Amino acid sequence: MDKEERKTINQGQEDEMEIYGYNLCRWKLAIVSLGVVCTGGFLLLLLYWMPEWRVKATCIRAAIKDCEVVLLRTTDEFRMWFCAKIRLLSLETHPFSSPKSMANKVSNGHAVLLNENLAEENRHEISKYSQTQSEQIRYFTHHSVKYFWNDTLHNFDFLRGLDEGVSCTSIYEKHSAGLTKGMHAYRKLLYGVNEISVKVPSVFKLLIKEVLNPFYIFQLFSVILWCTDEYYYYALAIVIMSIVSVLSSLYSIRKQYVMLHDMVATHSTVRVSVCRVNEEIQEIFSTDLVPGDIMVIPLNGTVMPCDAVLINGTCIVNESMLTGESVPVTKTNLPNPSVDIKGMEDELYSPEIHKRHTLFCGTAVIQTRFYTGELVKAIVVRTGFSTSKGQLVRSILYPKPTDFKLYRDAYLFLLCLVAVAGIGFIYTIINSILNEVEAGVIIIESLDIITITVPPALPAAMTAGIVYAQRRLKKIGIFCISPQRINICGQLNLVCFDKTGTLTEDGLDLWGIQRVENACFLLPEENVCNEMLVKSQFVACMATCHSLTKIEGVLSGDPLDLKMFEAIGWILEEATEEETALHNRIMPTVVRPPKQLLPESTPAGDQEMELFELPAIYEIGIVRQFPFSSALQRMSVVARVLGDKKMDAYMKGAPEVIASLCKPETVPVDFEKVLEDYTKQGFRVIALAHRKLESKLTWHKVQNISRDAIENNMDFMGLIIMQNKLKQETPAVLEDLHKANIRTVMVTGDNMLTAVSVARDCGMILPQDKVIIAEALPPKDGKVAKINWHYADTITQCSNSSAIESEAIPIKLAQDSLEDLQVTRYHFAMNGKSFSVILEHFQDLVPKLMLHGTVFARMAPDQKTQLVEALQNVDYFVGMCGDGANDCGALKRAHGGISLSELEASVASPFTSKTPSISCVPNLIREGRAALMTSFCVFKFMALYSIIQYSSVTLLYSVLSNLGDFQFLFIDLAIILVVVFTMSLNPAWKELVAQRPPSGLLSGTLLFSVLSQIIISFGFQSLGFFWVKQQPWYEVWHPHSDACNTTGNLYWNSSHLYNQTELDPHNIQNYENTTVFFISSFQYLIVAIAFSKGKPFRQPCYKNYLFVMSVIILYVFILFIMLYPVASIDQVLQIVCVPYQWRITMFIIVLINAFVSIMVENFCLDMVLWKVVFSRDRQGEYRFTTTQPPQESVDHWGKCCLSCVLDCRKKIPKAKYMHLAQELLVDPEWPPKPQTTTEAKALVNENGSCQIITIT
């Protein structure tokens, strides 16, 4: 294939696509038009459903550079096709395209201020997107993103804002002056209107799109067919059902569009002030904003209409719309590297890395902190659908298809039904020809068999269980924005938990402090709020180093900061402009101790305490704040004591990080030992540091200095020890999950030893279990990367490595069972840095570590996402439970992400629990399992309904008969719809069990269940059909037939003699029809009861009162009309009179049928096959569900034989993690021995191979 004809766009990204160029071909178009006419429009429908066929049928291949149409195909597992038309953007008509009016250029979407050669630069920029002299730019739009032809790349590319490839220096030097009006207009043309446009489609458009669904086209075909066969009532019923279905679907789709439209409309059009090049402030609509505009943030706050980076001032922002976290966040201006006193290396700006300086679209700016004479300014970096909120809305508007085995199997099952229909189709044609039936009747009847086999109510029936589960979840405070994921949650076999606020209480209690003097730890102190400490640097750090703010007079911010500030009892005041003007320097936030804590006179001789030489008023002003960063694991502030000449820098954060930034001589020698003692007890430890800044650092310099220039060469001051108590319900919930064979993993930003301690406390790691700490070191000084393995101290000490191997690690595979594996005796623990090194240099170890990795500490947000992906790569179904703040990526990536947020629905994750408790996890899994089993039950029932009706019709076709119109109507409306929508109402079982439901329809249990019921149903129908012909009273029925021959039924016969004077043209009324109708009607109810299973995943069906009532009423009604016929009902249903003795015989047939069906389903399948052969996970885990030891060898061989007979699949587990577990059980080198090192090879292969070297 010519390279020019196929390219890749969005390479390496989630939405990577292959792109092919095509031009319209007139002769192909003419042939297709003819085909459309010949097929009555069906070809047009087919091309509408298949974009690839549509383009290939009407176009010819062309170079992408000159094509008229592009065909796009995603490179993911779904390989979906899309097509888009190439459009032209003309620059000729715009005055700003002339070189004179252009003061800057667009370079990859970046504004760069130019001083000379403006004309040349302008020409170069336009030529990048347009090779023609007419200055036309070629582009296409896909999923609300414009892709422009780029001559430099020789490919289409989307226009980037200032969020990629722009350095922090250039943001200040080249972008902070604003845009000229000409440049603004030029960018507006390229970037378009700044709006996240969610157009609510008209009802007519939605109707057409919905009606053109293949399912409704099939229904239309069915209705036309039935009308030609004069089945008007049934056709009318299907039309009414379809109309109701279409209208309800239209209502829900339109409602979603309206909700989404309302969600983005809050900031769609507001008036904003922007700064132009000449310092003039211009008021424009937010829809006119472009990347590079300088937006002025109003004092009273606003809802951000774009993504922008702060270059002046500070903002308090509520980001709950994005993160689900309602705690206000402080945003500060981006550090300016050009004024950095150290001349730091310039770094590229990134909204993710610099999110503490970025205001995201849709977030609410609550208030701004401004300085006298200076406006709070932000540079627009992204607009429209490129913003964080725009990308979120795009993911809702254009969701990825849900890849779940159930849905794939559903399509395969439908194909099987179509194949069965094909057999019936051929049989009907052959049988009709042999019986010399008219050609018209043959066509109608043979097509009719297809409409019977593929059930029209299947999609509605399948979604019923999910809708009911969603309602039940809502009742217990779990909100869902992705209903299809409820079924997937039924398969979860591993759940990752955040620690703070999830497993432990959100609020930390201050246990005490341990200060450092002269590089030595003092004794721990409990009370921080006293006169002796009030003027110490330690308390000053606690008072200033936080991100607290007052909102409507109430102190709010991070819970940890709040606890610390409350512990010292100080007062925070956010001074107004008038108040701060009285001081020499502007200090927006001032903290001071309460008067009762201040000593009346400063003690002069006390040398032990570090005191300030202060005036009577003791206040500290926070001059600059560097907010807490998950990646850096620290925060710092620059503060000034009122009246002091020099400023102070205070820093707090993770002890290891803080100690590394302090002067080594100020850090106590026993620092690591003291820290380890606290973390082992499960305390959360925070270190503090301080240094005096040079007097030459003025207020203006501090505002632009980088944090790296401040955060170094500090004096270590000591530790704050916080107690993080486990939530009351945590141990019980984790125990429930373990009993259900669901693995639990801790992913936290906290210290490693603290995390291990909490994992032991909550039961994630049992007391006797070994913890192996993997400490990975990156390549350094020519040495390769390596992992040091340490065994953490445990309750049961082992003297040597052989004892560890024999005691703690299972080596043997017990027959076909991996039950021992579930009692994992060792756990890996590692921090974020080690995890990154292992991912990069030890790729072949990653799956092994995923199998037993339990504690992942000091994990940055992106590392949490990588961990979820690594677990999914070894075929785990991963759940993630977090607070939604820094877990967004992981929550979205997991199969089932649950955010513990007070908000009703957080877009951060598919599920949101209103109660901040992990008890929602087992609840969600239980409901997921119930919904999944309901889907299986409904699917099996619908399949049996089709096959039973197919059997009835096929048998009746053999005698040139069929079911009557009202018989079809009664079966489909009175029986099927009622049963389907009530059998889905079973609530979830009250506890989690160790078994997991199958994930697909093609599992052994389900196939055996369906096939056995098909054989039973067809067998008993055939028995009735052929047995009735053997009766002495049997004859080919005609209007004057009187098989009843009893006086009690004379009135019944006489009522028919006058109504049936004409012969029945469809031959509906006969003894075979009546027999098959009664037996099949009971069969629908029998399989409904057989399939409506309760335990272990759902409540028993007798607790589903609506279902029980419906089935009883239907049973009584059918039994009544069978044993005691009512003339009017029989006339409507076209039932003929049969002797009472035959009615009793039919009743006995039905009873035996019911007994056999229920015994096979509930005894043979559940009691024998489920427990012996098919007791496994979706991945093929062979496991006995009982916890008893393996039985005698005879039983074992019996089971093996039965397994071989009934299951032809190999005994190698399908899941990678199970296959790996089997290999590791016999691997003598795994797990690594204590004090050994694994080194990466000098030349790492593609698979990242490594070797183990034992260090003696």
Side-chain angles (χ1 to χ4, degrees):
M1 192 182 288
D2 185 14
K3 285 184 180 178
E4 182 63 20
E5 292 184 334
R6 173 187 169 181
K7 292 186 179 293
T8 305
I9 58 173
N10 303 329
Q11 201 150 11
Q13 296 177 36
E14 203 176 340
D15 54 350
E16 183 180 275
M17 289 179 288
E18 292 171 355
I19 180 169
Y20 306 86
Y22 283 87
N23 282 340
L24 199 65
C25 176
R26 301 205 180 279
W27 64 265
K28 277 190 170 186
L29 195 63
I31 292 171
V32 168
S33 304
L34 186 67
V36 169
V37 174
C38 294
T39 57
F42 180 71
L43 180 61
L44 191 65
L45 271 174
L46 201 61
L47 296 179
Y48 168 77
W49 294 329
M50 310 290 285
E52 179 199 4
W53 294 5
R54 183 164 75 245
V55 172
K56 288 181 177 178
T58 56
C59 302
I60 52 170
R61 290 293 292 270
I64 296 172
K65 188 178 181 182
D66 308 310
C67 64
E68 296 169 359
V69 176
V70 288
L71 192 60
L72 306 162
R73 183 170 70 171
T74 60
T75 55
D76 57 16
E77 66 271 28
F78 303 108
R79 314 289 281 174
M80 291 177 70
W81 290 93
F82 303 94
C83 66
K85 192 178 178 183
I86 298 292
R87 302 183 184 279
L88 295 173
L89 181 68
S90 176
L91 304 176
E92 288 180 317
T93 53
H94 299 277
F96 52 79
S97 64
S98 65
K100 289 181 183 176
S101 66
M102 190 115 161
N104 2 26
K105 69 165 185 170
V106 175
S107 176
N108 194 25
H110 308 147
V112 182
L113 219 63
L114 303 173
N115 299 316
E116 53 187 0
N117 294 334
L118 296 180
E120 188 185 332
E121 292 285 357
N122 182 37
R123 283 193 204 99
H124 167 71
E125 178 51 38
I126 293 175
S127 70
K128 201 169 110 177
Y129 292 102
S130 164
Q131 71 273 27
T132 58
Q133 291 302 312
S134 61
E135 291 181 355
Q136 285 188 328
I137 300 175
R138 299 161 56 76
Y139 74 95
F140 68 89
T141 306
H142 173 68
H143 285 180
S144 302
V145 174
K146 282 184 182 176
Y147 293 85
F148 291 88
W149 176 257
N150 189 323
D151 261 355
T152 313
L153 299 173
H154 294 289
N155 198 358
F156 282 97
D157 196 18
F158 66 89
L159 211 56
R160 288 161 175 79
L162 300 184
D163 55 318
E164 286 184 42
V166 182
S167 66
C168 296
T169 307
S170 66
I171 280 194
Y172 276 98
E173 290 182 357
K174 299 175 181 176
H175 299 281
S176 58
L179 302 176
T180 61
K181 288 183 180 176
M183 191 63 221
H184 177 270
Y186 178 77
R187 290 200 182 178
K188 174 100 184 284
L189 179 72
L190 285 174
Y191 285 99
V193 178
N194 171 38
E195 65 175 353
I196 300 169
S197 172
V198 179
K199 291 175 182 170
V200 180
S202 65
V203 176
F204 179 73
K205 269 188 181 178
L206 280 175
L207 182 68
I208 295 297
K209 193 175 179 182
E210 189 69 19
V211 167
L212 291 180
N213 183 303
F215 169 68
Y216 289 116
I217 296 298
F218 177 70
Q219 289 228 357
L220 182 67
F221 161 74
S222 304
V223 166
I224 293 167
L225 186 68
W226 293 325
C227 287
T228 56
D229 205 18
E230 297 176 13
Y231 286 176
Y232 299 120
Y233 296 108
Y234 186 49
L236 182 65
I238 289 293
V239 167
I240 292 167
M241 274 172 58
S242 299
I243 289 170
V244 170
S245 175
V246 166
L247 290 177
S248 63
S249 182
L250 281 185
Y251 172 76
S252 61
I253 292 170
R254 191 172 163 81
K255 189 181 173 186
Q256 285 175 348
Y257 270 111
V258 169
M259 279 173 66
L260 199 57
H261 179 267
D262 292 346
M263 186 179 98
V264 299
T266 49
H267 59 85
S268 57
T269 311
V270 291
R271 294 195 75 84
V272 293
S273 298
V274 292
C275 296
R276 292 283 172 237
V277 168
N278 52 5
E279 296 293 325
E280 99 180 76
I281 304 289
Q282 184 186 357
E283 199 170 272
I284 61 171
F285 283 109
S286 60
T287 47
D288 294 328
L289 286 171
V290 296
D293 267 332
I294 311 288
M295 181 180 165
V296 178
I297 312 294
L299 303 178
N300 56 349
T302 182
V303 175
M304 288 300 295
C306 58
D307 286 354
V309 59
L310 266 176
I311 54 168
N312 263 357
T314 308
C315 294
I316 311 296
V317 185
N318 183 345
E319 292 190 322
S320 59
M321 196 287 299
L322 283 180
T323 64
E325 183 64 47
S326 54
V327 174
V329 183
T330 304
K331 302 276 184 170
T332 58
N333 60 298
L334 185 76
N336 185 356
S338 60
V339 261
D340 184 359
I341 49 173
K342 284 178 70 183
M344 286 276 303
E345 223 177 276
D346 196 6
E347 64 173 324
L348 293 177
Y349 165 72
S350 160
E352 282 305 308
I353 296 168
H354 299 98
K355 64 181 178 185
R356 287 290 188 171
H357 314 292
T358 307
L359 303 171
F360 293 103
C361 179
T363 59
V365 178
I366 302 165
Q367 59 180 233
T368 59
R369 293 179 181 172
F370 58 96
Y371 311 108
T372 311
E374 292 204 34
L375 298 166
V376 178
K377 295 179 188 175
I379 298 179
V380 177
V381 291
R382 296 186 295 206
T383 57
F385 278 101
S386 300
T387 62
S388 51
K389 185 169 183 179
Q391 288 166 8
L392 190 68
V393 172
R394 278 181 66 220
S395 70
I396 298 169
L397 280 174
Y398 315 107
K400 266 194 168 187
T402 310
D403 181 33
F404 188 41
K405 202 167 182 291
L406 170 68
Y407 306 121
R408 294 201 303 271
D409 288 356
Y411 287 116
L412 284 173
F413 212 91
L414 277 176
L415 284 174
C416 292
L417 289 179
V418 169
V420 170
I423 295 165
F425 180 79
I426 295 161
Y427 163 77
T428 307
I429 292 172
I430 294 167
N431 183 59
S432 300
I433 291 169
L434 292 174
N435 285 285
E436 299 177 356
V437 179
E438 291 177 18
V441 176
I442 292 175
I443 293 167
I444 291 169
E445 287 191 344
S446 54
L447 289 173
D448 195 26
I449 201 102
I450 295 171
T451 67
I452 287 164
T453 317
V454 183
L458 182 62
M462 288 289 283
T463 53
I466 296 172
V467 171
Y468 296 146
Q470 195 175 359
R471 283 183 188 170
R472 288 195 297 269
L473 284 171
K474 198 170 182 179
K475 281 180 184 174
I476 55 174
I478 300 172
F479 298 91
C480 173
I481 59 167
S482 180
Q484 294 299 331
R485 291 217 186 201
I486 296 174
N487 269 347
I488 301 175
C489 286
Q491 281 294 313
L492 296 183
N493 55 2
L494 184 146
V495 183
C496 297
F497 291 97
D498 185 25
K499 184 179 78 71
T500 311
T502 305
L503 295 173
T504 58
E505 295 288 354
D506 210 4
L508 293 158
D509 297 321
L510 187 75
W511 180 84
I513 63 168
Q514 190 157 8
R515 295 185 296 123
V516 168
E517 273 188 15
N518 302 322
C520 292
F521 278 113
L522 301 178
L523 290 171
E525 299 162 80
E526 279 186 34
N527 186 17
V528 195
C529 186
N530 62 47
E531 290 182 14
M532 297 295 288
L533 292 175
V534 71
K535 292 182 181 178
S536 66
Q537 295 283 20
F538 195 96
V539 170
C541 183
M542 289 177 74
T544 55
C545 200
H546 53 69
S547 57
L548 301 177
T549 183
K550 275 193 173 176
I551 296 172
E552 296 176 359
V554 179
L555 203 61
S556 62
D558 186 87
L560 181 127
D561 287 347
L562 269 171
K563 280 282 181 193
M564 277 173 50
F565 195 75
E566 285 167 4
I568 57 171
W570 282 40
I571 297 155
L572 181 137
E573 288 177 355
E574 289 177 340
T576 61
E577 191 176 358
E578 291 78 17
E579 288 170 336
T580 51
L582 300 172
H583 304 299
N584 297 333
R585 289 285 176 265
I586 310 308
M587 296 177 189
T589 303
V590 174
V591 291
R592 56 182 173 80
K595 286 180 182 175
Q596 62 267 29
L597 277 183
L598 283 170
E600 291 178 17
S601 60
T602 309
D606 190 353
Q607 294 303 315
E608 285 183 17
M609 294 297 297
E610 190 180 347
L611 299 173
F612 296 97
E613 302 266 337
L614 296 173
I617 302 172
Y618 179 46
E619 287 182 351
I620 306 176
I622 301 168
V623 179
R624 176 82 196 273
Q625 187 187 97
F626 299 101
F628 176 78
S629 159
S630 302
L632 299 175
Q633 297 173 6
R634 64 181 185 266
M635 80 163 289
S636 57
V637 292
V638 176
R640 174 185 236 137
V641 178
L642 183 64
D644 231 22
K645 288 180 182 176
K646 290 184 179 180
M647 295 186 193
D648 296 277
Y650 296 105
M651 180 168 64
K652 75 165 188 203
E656 313 94 306
V657 176
I658 300 298
S660 69
L661 295 168
C662 289
K663 298 172 191 167
E665 62 270 18
T666 66
V667 180
V669 183
D670 58 346
F671 163 73
E672 287 183 5
K673 182 183 178 300
V674 171
L675 177 62
E676 192 176 330
D677 287 344
Y678 283 125
T679 51
K680 275 186 181 175
Q681 295 172 59
F683 288 115
R684 173 89 179 264
V685 185
I686 294 157
L688 305 184
H690 159 262
R691 81 175 164 104
K692 280 276 184 193
L693 297 176
E694 300 85 351
S695 53
K696 66 178 181 181
L697 267 180
T698 62
W699 180 85
H700 276 289
K701 279 185 181 175
V702 167
Q703 292 312 311
N704 294 308
I705 200 165
S706 79
R707 72 188 295 166
D708 294 322
I710 297 290
E711 295 172 346
N712 65 73
N713 217 25
M714 310 281 274
D715 294 333
F716 192 81
M717 288 202 299
L719 305 172
I720 296 174
I721 299 101
M722 311 287 282
Q723 201 168 13
N724 196 196
K725 292 175 186 170
L726 274 180
K727 285 185 178 174
Q728 197 176 345
E729 66 278 1
T730 297
V733 169
L734 294 182
E735 192 182 351
D736 287 347
L737 293 174
H738 289 155
K739 281 180 183 173
N741 283 333
I742 294 169
R743 252 188 77 191
T744 53
V745 170
M746 186 190 293
V747 194
T748 177
D750 208 342
N751 175 282
M752 163 90 73
L753 293 172
T754 304
V756 171
S757 169
V758 172
R760 286 196 183 279
D761 291 346
C762 67
M764 202 176 273
I765 298 173
L766 298 175
Q768 68 273 21
D769 291 358
K770 302 282 177 270
V771 176
I772 306 170
I773 293 173
E775 183 197 3
L777 303 170
K780 193 179 181 183
D781 301 329
K783 293 180 180 176
V784 294
K786 61 180 181 179
I787 306 172
N788 295 324
W789 307 99
H790 308 289
Y791 277 51
D793 292 334
T794 55
I795 292 166
T796 53
Q797 295 288 334
C798 290
S799 57
N800 54 49
S801 58
S802 63
I804 291 170
E805 188 177 335
S806 60
E807 272 180 33
I809 296 138
I811 319 159
K812 220 170 174 181
L813 186 63
Q815 309 296 347
D816 283 336
S817 170
L818 291 179
E819 189 67 33
D820 289 347
L821 251 180
Q822 302 308 311
V823 190
T824 329
R825 301 293 176 87
Y826 62 95
H827 305 259
F828 288 108
M830 68 193 76
N831 60 24
K833 285 179 184 173
S834 296
F835 180 68
S836 293
V837 172
I838 290 166
L839 275 187
E840 189 177 348
H841 299 283
F842 299 90
Q843 290 165 19
D844 62 334
L845 281 185
V846 173
K848 296 180 182 181
L849 292 171
M850 290 305 104
L851 200 64
H852 291 288
T854 302
V855 175
F856 296 85
R858 295 285 188 230
M859 296 285 277
D862 60 323
Q863 289 173 331
K864 292 183 180 183
T865 311
Q866 288 169 345
L867 174 65
V868 169
E869 286 173 348
L871 288 164
Q872 288 173 335
N873 287 342
V874 288
D875 292 343
Y876 276 112
F877 277 86
V878 184
M880 173 76 197
C881 183
D883 57 12
N886 51 8
D887 305 322
C888 288
L891 287 167
K892 282 184 182 177
R893 181 73 63 189
H895 291 110
I898 316 157
S899 170
L900 305 182
S901 169
E902 291 176 7
L903 299 168
E904 186 165 301
S906 164
V907 287
S909 67
F911 300 95
T912 307
S913 173
K914 217 171 182 182
T915 50
S917 156
I918 64 164
S919 58
C920 63
V921 175
N923 287 338
L924 179 63
I925 296 172
R926 283 190 307 105
E927 287 296 348
R929 288 179 173 187
L932 189 56
M933 284 314 292
T934 299
S935 295
F936 289 143
C937 290
V938 169
F939 206 97
K940 290 199 298 182
F941 176 72
M942 293 303 284
L944 258 294
Y945 147 60
S946 296
I947 298 296
I948 291 169
Q949 199 169 76
Y950 169 79
S951 305
S952 305
V953 172
T954 310
L955 287 169
L956 292 175
Y957 273 4
S958 68
V959 292
L960 304 181
S961 180
N962 199 351
L963 289 171
D965 199 358
F966 279 98
Q967 288 175 342
F968 272 124
L969 204 62
F970 175 74
I971 290 167
D972 289 339
L973 296 187
I975 300 178
I976 303 304
L977 283 186
V978 171
V979 167
V980 156
F981 289 109
T982 55
M983 79 187 297
S984 304
L985 287 167
N986 285 36
W989 184 245
K990 52 184 179 286
E991 60 189 36
L992 273 177
V993 293
Q995 288 167 270
R996 273 171 46 222
S999 61
L1001 289 163
L1002 302 183
S1003 66
T1005 43
L1006 293 172
L1007 286 177
F1008 180 84
S1009 171
V1010 170
L1011 290 172
S1012 60
Q1013 294 299 332
I1014 287 173
I1015 293 164
I1016 292 164
S1017 300
F1018 185 71
F1020 279 99
Q1021 265 197 61
S1022 303
L1023 175 67
F1025 178 79
F1026 291 112
W1027 198 3
V1028 73
K1029 291 183 178 182
Q1030 306 304 317
Q1031 299 306 308
W1033 47 263
Y1034 176 81
E1035 63 176 345
V1036 176
W1037 193 88
H1038 53 84
H1040 300 286
S1041 292
D1042 185 13
C1044 298
N1045 197 25
T1046 56
T1047 53
N1049 281 312
L1050 284 176
Y1051 74 94
W1052 186 88
N1053 291 320
S1054 62
S1055 68
H1056 279 64
L1057 287 173
Y1058 300 104
N1059 295 325
Q1060 297 291 337
T1061 50
E1062 293 179 19
L1063 280 170
D1064 177 12
H1066 294 290
N1067 189 23
I1068 303 298
Q1069 290 176 305
N1070 53 57
Y1071 301 119
E1072 293 93 333
N1073 171 287
T1074 301
T1075 303
V1076 166
F1077 170 73
F1078 278 125
I1079 292 173
S1080 66
S1081 294
F1082 277 110
Q1083 282 180 337
Y1084 298 122
L1085 298 175
I1086 290 164
V1087 293
I1089 291 168
F1091 288 156
S1092 288
K1093 292 179 184 172
K1095 199 176 173 183
F1097 305 117
R1098 304 196 306 165
Q1099 295 277 8
C1101 63
Y1102 59 77
K1103 287 195 175 181
N1104 183 350
Y1105 304 117
L1106 271 174
F1107 174 69
V1108 172
M1109 289 298 293
S1110 305
V1111 169
I1112 289 172
I1113 290 166
L1114 285 166
Y1115 259 121
V1116 170
F1117 177 76
I1118 300 166
L1119 198 60
F1120 180 76
I1121 63 170
M1122 186 173 84
L1123 297 178
Y1124 302 99
V1126 178
S1128 55
I1129 294 173
D1130 288 354
Q1131 190 177 341
V1132 169
L1133 291 175
Q1134 293 175 279
I1135 294 169
V1136 299
C1137 176
V1138 291
Y1140 190 76
Q1141 189 186 354
W1142 179 244
R1143 295 174 192 276
I1144 297 297
T1145 306
M1146 283 195 291
F1147 181 57
I1148 292 166
I1149 290 171
V1150 166
L1151 283 177
I1152 297 168
N1153 186 348
F1155 177 77
V1156 172
S1157 288
I1158 290 166
M1159 283 300 287
V1160 166
E1161 184 69 22
N1162 292 307
F1163 179 75
C1164 295
L1165 190 70
D1166 288 358
M1167 302 299 289
V1168 180
L1169 290 173
W1170 182 283
K1171 291 195 174 184
V1172 176
V1173 183
F1174 301 117
S1175 177
R1176 67 178 69 182
D1177 286 341
R1178 161 254 181 203
Q1179 291 88 353
E1181 298 174 47
Y1182 285 78
R1183 180 189 305 149
F1184 297 102
T1185 52
T1186 58
T1187 53
Q1188 297 168 3
Q1191 295 179 19
E1192 294 178 8
S1193 57
V1194 177
D1195 291 341
H1196 169 68
W1197 285 109
K1199 289 172 185 177
C1200 287
C1201 294
L1202 193 55
S1203 176
C1204 292
V1205 171
L1206 294 170
D1207 193 358
C1208 58
R1209 288 182 297 179
K1210 291 182 182 178
K1211 287 194 177 184
I1212 297 170
K1214 287 184 182 177
K1216 290 177 188 172
Y1217 77 89
M1218 288 306 304
H1219 187 63
L1220 189 64
Q1222 285 188 348
E1223 287 179 358
L1224 292 183
L1225 283 175
V1226 292
D1227 185 351
E1229 296 293 329
W1230 196 262
K1233 309 293 183 293
Q1235 309 308 316
T1236 56
T1237 299
T1238 302
E1239 289 188 355
K1241 287 185 178 176
L1243 291 170
V1244 180
N1245 300 333
E1246 281 184 16
N1247 65 349
S1249 55
C1250 52
Q1251 59 187 349
I1252 294 181
I1253 301 167
T1254 306
I1255 309 295
T1256 52

